[in-house]
Amino acid sequence: AINFYDLRKGEQPCETTVVSKQHWDPVYELTWLQSKTQSECVTVSSDARCIFWDTRFLSEPVDECVLTDGAKEDPKRLGGVSLEWMQEAGPTKYLVGTEQGAILSLNKKPKKDVEIGTWFGLESKGGSGGHFGPVYSTKRNPHQVKYFLTVGDWRAQLWMEEL
């Protein structure tokens, strides 16, 4: 659940997510997004969903993406454990590290469904070199945003995303 507190109004949350709309597993990361209202964020969870929220209206998500391996028939869900968003890399681009060792590149364009564009480290999608366990951290290089670093299993890995 996501709870929004305004301590000027007491110790109880002002807004909270509705059980039927929130994540079913633990939320591993929340990232604030740059927006006109400064009230938007995105969460990732091991329930294989990335959910976009407006903290003023937590009763309904703004958008959602199911994290899968991209297979046409019987796609497998990939649990999310790390999340990276950086305005300089493009306001619609997100990186999600998964429990299965792959990194997904998401694209969220206005008025369109969130799309998974690239599966880094997923052999079934032509990738190689994925982690052998969960990707606990995913961070872009702040000076060269097409490069990003992932940490998982016993390794830290450097990747390059074509922008």
Side-chain angles (χ1 to χ4, degrees), residues 15-127:
E15 285 280 333
T16 189
T17 52
V18 178
V19 174
S20 62
K21 307 282 183 173
Q22 67 190 16
H23 289 285
W24 306 308
D25 282 354
V27 172
Y28 282 99
E29 193 140 0
L30 179 147
T31 299
W32 287 102
L33 305 176
Q34 185 173 344
S35 66
K36 290 179 183 178
T37 62
Q38 299 298 314
S39 61
E40 294 178 21
C41 64
V42 59
T43 55
V44 70
S45 168
S46 55
D47 67 2
R49 295 186 304 153
C50 188
I51 302 179
F52 296 82
W53 303 95
D54 185 331
T55 57
R56 299 170 301 164
F57 313 107
L58 288 176
S59 59
E60 189 73 33
V62 173
D63 210 343
E64 179 179 329
C65 178
V66 176
L67 308 172
T68 70
D69 64 359
K72 298 281 185 213
E73 293 182 25
D74 194 30
K76 291 182 178 52
R77 294 169 72 107
L78 306 175
V81 291
S82 61
L83 175 66
E84 171 70 347
W85 176 81
M86 183 184 283
Q87 177 75 26
E88 296 79 12
T92 65
K93 292 179 160 275
Y94 303 83
L95 294 170
V96 176
T98 67
E99 291 177 318
Q100 293 77 10
I103 302 94
L104 308 182
S105 174
L106 308 182
N107 201 348
K108 181 187 183 309
K109 294 186 177 174
K111 299 179 184 174
K112 291 188 176 182
D113 290 337
V114 182
E115 296 176 347
I116 301 173
T118 308
W119 291 261
F120 294 95
L122 197 61
E123 289 183 19
S124 64
K125 291 302 240 178

